[in-house]
Amino acid sequence: TNWKCRCRYASGVVMNFIEMLLQVVAYVSTGYIIWGGFKYIKSEGDPARISEAKSAILNAIIGLVIAFASVAIVSYIQSRFTQ
């Protein structure tokens, strides 16, 4: 039972760290989405600049989805080890 207690404590620390990283990723992704929006507005109809802005927005959204998926995977693994 002592091993399970240590495992729960360690997994709680890991999950807290991952939640903090997810918050940072969310803030950075939001910043990139806003930055891409400004680039889109300032593109003045230039197709190359519009494409660059759309790419920045899409990459930020993909990064955010990957971050959320990684948290879900780690949560699942944690639940399997702490049972």
Side-chain angles (χ1 to χ4, degrees), residues 5-67:
C5 181
R6 287 186 197 159
C7 187
R8 285 187 182 149
Y9 174 75
S11 66
V13 171
V14 169
M15 285 307 295
N16 285 338
F17 181 73
I18 289 172
E19 287 177 14
M20 289 187 318
L21 283 178
L22 181 61
Q23 288 178 356
V24 170
V25 168
Y27 290 135
V28 170
S29 293
T30 301
Y32 272 110
I33 291 170
I34 292 170
W35 179 63
F38 281 129
K39 286 178 73 168
Y40 188 84
I41 291 170
K42 293 179 71 177
S43 67
E44 299 174 348
D46 181 14
R49 290 171 66 188
I50 289 173
S51 175
E52 186 179 322
K54 285 182 179 180
S55 176
I57 293 169
L58 180 63
N59 289 338
I61 292 171
I62 289 171
L64 196 58
V65 168
I66 290 171

